[in-house]
Amino acid sequence: MADYDPGNIFAKILRGEIPSHRVYEDDAVIAFMDVMPQGKGHTLVVPKAQSRNLLDADTATLGPLFIGVQKLAQAVKKAFGADGVTILQFNEPASGQTVYHLHVHVIPRFEGVPLKPHSGQMEKPEVLAENAGKIRAALAG
Ligand code: AMP
């Protein structure tokens, strides 16, 4: 497996070098909108600690990461009135991983609505901004 590359796009987002529609941050994780959502409100939860994926992650990263995943899962369900939430996580190219900094997909689900393709179409920035606002509001209470 290749080494962690600090030039990956999520590392740049974590360092504030490129923009994102950020909805949440704590000591361990940030969460922001996926720009090619597989469903309305598709959010990514990203640990601040560096690892390529789950396979090389420090175990200390995992608890805080999944606390963040649960927080975002609850928030997106509330924000969009979803019927359920799908959690996805990919490791290495054979699995479909395309960005090599560990992250977890949190996707609101609606009865009868299939997931769109992974890394499919770019969403309009104004739609991402609106959805991010709804998630922030749900997190705020
Ligand atoms: P994967 O590595 O396969 O788990 O997927 C990476 C995800 O990151 C895909 O769902 C992409 O749509 C998403 N993505 C790629 N670049 C960005 C970006 N700059 N901001 C937000 N999401 C991104």
Side-chain angles (χ1 to χ4, degrees), residues 1-16:
M1 193 165 90
D3 289 338
Y4 180 81
D5 173 7
N8 75 77
I9 198 147
F10 292 169
K12 289 180 181 171
I13 288 174
L14 278 161
R15 292 194 294 266

Side-chain angles (χ1 to χ4, degrees), residues 78-102:
K78 182 176 170 190
F80 302 102
D83 301 309
V85 183
T86 292
I87 306 298
L88 293 171
Q89 195 275 319
F90 302 89
N91 301 281
E92 296 300 307
S95 74
Q97 186 178 10
T98 59
V99 178
Y100 297 97
H101 180 114
L102 175 59

Side-chain angles (χ1 to χ4, degrees), residues 22-34:
R22 196 173 292 205
V23 294
Y24 179 74
E25 177 167 10
D26 63 24
D27 289 347
V29 305
I30 65 168
F32 51 86
M33 306 312 294
D34 193 303

